[in-house]
Amino acid sequence: MTHLQIGLSSETIEKARLELNENPDTLHQDIQQVRDMIITRPDIGFLRTDDAFILRFLRARKFNQMEAFRLLAQYFQYRQLNLDMFKNLKADDPGVKRALMDGFPGVLDSRDHYGRKILLLFAANWDQSRNSFVDILRAILLSLEVLIEDQELQINGFILIIDWSNFSFKQASKLTPSILRLAIEGLQDSFPARFGGVHFVNQPWYIHALYTIIKPFLKDKTRKRIFLHGNNLNSLHQLIPPECLPSEFGGTLPPYDMGTWARTLLGPDYNDENEYTHTSYNAIHVKYAPTNVERDCSPKYMKRSQSVVEPGTLMHEDHRDSENTQPLLALD
């Protein structure tokens, strides 16, 4: 184990070896090979190139040096092309703060049974008179920057659950192809995070239509990790145990408190009714102490569910007959 793996559990180091091809003996060599490619892109300002930073890109691309460099270049190029989005990207920026206060995103304290962090989006909370879509995207990107400092999450990755309950057609009409593409480019193509699944629940027909529009912009690998559950929470529970989910998703945890993550970023004396005036949260100093719930949902304490759903295909309860199930969508 090198100093770059300090703090990782032995189980996570083994997982990185088996799933990501991470080899402690060649770690520094792998990093340097990526760093040596920077000279080939003089059009991009690589503002950070230290070992720990490059390592997260290698992990995101399973130690394929060329793919890791391409992701690193896209990370900085995306920021160069969207300078306004990343200007003052801090938790106390007014737009980011409003989005965080409204629960964009939600972040559960517990992780799932594979050690993945669970992010939540309650789409109906989008008050379009209060938050622009870009500010919500900025809040999500800032949150990921904070979370990705955790090496365990660089290896285990994330799960995203989007609840479309009560999301109106009027709200959906604001999700134009251009802003959806902006989000896809920022999250799929330009950020070193491993997303093990994106789960839609309670989505109306017009969200299906939106998905059809954005599908050509998604990589095949991404499409296979998007699951459309409708109102069938049983299919969600086959992939994420109820013990790791709040009650809104049929889980055994208490209802999610929308201010939880905002208070984490803004500080312990954050108050919903008062403007926060302290200095912004420093993402580098974020560390997680496993809670009892997080421990119970960890791979060490939970066996993998015996019911396995084939990625990309889900079963949906017919609304006329709860006993009748049929494939909802094949994503291949």
Side-chain angles (χ1 to χ4, degrees), residues 38-163:
I38 290 175
I39 195 173
T40 66
R41 294 297 305 270
D43 57 310
I44 297 175
F46 292 85
L47 303 181
R48 184 177 171 187
T49 60
D50 58 273
D51 288 358
F53 188 71
I54 291 178
L55 178 56
R56 65 187 62 171
F57 291 86
L58 281 163
R59 285 170 170 162
R61 292 296 181 263
K62 296 187 176 181
F63 277 77
N64 180 316
Q65 290 92 344
M66 183 59 72
E67 290 298 318
F69 173 71
R70 184 175 290 114
L71 180 60
L72 177 67
Q74 289 173 331
Y75 174 92
F76 286 114
Q77 186 175 46
Y78 182 77
R79 281 147 182 76
Q80 285 181 196
L81 294 175
N82 301 284
L83 290 174
D84 288 344
M85 277 182 56
F86 294 93
K87 183 179 180 181
N88 196 40
L89 187 62
K90 299 185 294 184
D92 58 1
D93 171 84
V96 172
K97 179 181 175 181
R98 286 194 301 270
L100 290 169
M101 288 172 59
D102 288 351
F104 295 106
V107 180
L108 294 185
D109 289 333
S110 60
R111 306 185 189 191
D112 79 348
H113 51 316
Y114 297 122
R116 299 174 294 194
K117 202 69 172 173
I118 302 174
L119 309 183
L120 308 174
L121 294 177
F122 294 91
N125 284 2
W126 182 19
D127 181 346
Q128 295 170 351
S129 66
R130 173 178 165 86
N131 295 315
S132 70
F133 181 85
V134 169
D135 280 335
I136 290 175
L137 179 57
R138 294 174 73 221
I140 293 171
L141 288 170
L142 173 65
S143 299
L144 286 172
E145 291 283 3
V146 172
L147 293 165
I148 205 65
E149 293 289 336
D150 185 333
Q151 288 203 76
E152 294 272 343
L153 295 181
Q154 293 173 21
I155 295 168
N156 293 327
F158 300 87
I159 293 291
L160 175 62
I161 305 175
I162 307 177
D163 184 358

